[in-house]
Amino acid sequence: MTLCFATNNANKLAEISAMLGDQFDLKTLQEIGCFEEIPETQDTIAGNSRQKAQYVWEHFRVNCFADDSGLEVDALDGAPGVHSAYYGGHPRSYERNVNLLLTNLEGKTDRKARFRTVITLVLDGQYHAFEGVAEGVILTEPRGTGGFGYDPVFQPDGYDRTFAEMSLDEKGAISHRRKAFEKLIAFLKK
Ligand code: IMP
């Protein structure tokens, strides 16, 4: 079955291709002729993921899936959430995002947070959503050099290291994205 992954992120594409195997003919956005920027204007992670999948389905009539992720911090009422990528402003800067997060959390004792990924799959016009969550806490200062985004300040529950102090494989095994992808794959292989 031909399936488009609505992303321009080569790392995500490689990861999901390896998990899917050759049962599926996975296409990039460019391979289906989509060169425009897909709007992400919804106010939830689930909404943005659906908007991207719906855009591809409605404009190209290709079965596809799209993912969207973000960090939700309890003491900040779920922020940065859907605004995770540009929390510190434009252009995107992981360092500014982390600094603003730590500033906004100064003096807060509740440091609970989670990464959430929602994948929307559209198959012949039917929509299906798959969610993955990684629970943890936000530290008071960054630790580690691996990963990206908020990884240096996010310590998953049950670990004494941040995502940025883990190898790619170690983070990959417990990440929000991996959990959501596993649900998608289990559904597709059914
Ligand atoms: P995206 O929807 O996967 O592009 O994620 C949106 C934003 O959420 C990213 O730009 C990061 O700031 C943040 N984010 C998502 N996943 C992760 C992660 O695994 N580690 C750190 N930050 C992440």
Side-chain angles (χ1 to χ4, degrees), residues 3-189:
L3 201 54
C4 171
F5 182 11
T7 184
N8 288 312
N9 182 322
N11 294 321
K12 287 185 187 173
L13 195 76
E15 187 182 344
I16 190 83
S17 300
M19 287 170 80
L20 264 177
D22 48 18
Q23 209 175 325
F24 295 89
D25 178 19
L26 201 62
K27 302 267 192 218
T28 63
L29 283 170
Q30 300 199 346
E31 283 168 337
I32 63 158
C34 177
F35 297 97
E36 59 260 41
E37 183 137 339
I38 301 180
E40 294 181 49
T41 53
Q42 303 304 301
D43 56 9
T44 61
I45 292 168
N48 268 347
S49 138
R50 184 180 167 110
Q51 185 178 25
K52 287 185 272 187
Q54 189 167 359
Y55 183 95
V56 171
W57 173 249
E58 286 178 354
H59 289 76
F60 298 91
R61 278 289 181 261
V62 174
N63 287 327
C64 78
F65 60 90
D67 73 322
D68 201 66
S69 303
L71 176 70
E72 300 170 348
V73 180
D74 285 355
L76 302 177
D77 297 324
V82 72
H83 305 294
S84 293
Y86 297 99
Y87 192 44
H90 290 260
R92 182 173 73 185
S93 155
Y94 290 144
E95 195 184 344
R96 268 207 310 272
N97 289 346
V98 166
N99 288 341
L100 180 61
L101 179 68
L102 293 182
T103 302
N104 289 344
L105 278 175
E106 263 168 30
K108 308 259 190 211
T109 48
D110 178 5
R111 315 286 297 193
K112 279 206 290 293
R114 68 205 53 77
F115 280 117
R116 186 184 304 279
T117 294
V118 178
I119 296 173
T120 302
L121 168 71
V122 52
L123 273 186
D124 300 325
Q126 299 286 322
Y127 288 81
H128 309 269
F130 307 92
E131 190 172 76
V133 168
E135 298 280 351
V137 291
I138 304 298
L139 304 184
T140 50
E141 50 189 50
R143 275 198 342 230
T145 53
F148 69 100
Y150 300 92
D151 282 349
V153 290
F154 183 82
Q155 183 172 285
D157 287 348
Y159 292 80
D160 59 6
R161 284 166 300 135
T162 66
F163 268 175
E165 293 176 303
M166 295 182 174
S167 68
L168 265 187
D169 283 351
E170 200 177 3
K171 175 190 167 188
I174 57 169
S175 82
H176 44 302
R177 218 177 334 274
R178 168 58 69 106
K179 289 174 187 163
F181 276 137
E182 278 175 351
K183 289 182 187 171
L184 167 76
I185 284 165
F187 178 87
L188 284 170
K189 289 192 167 172

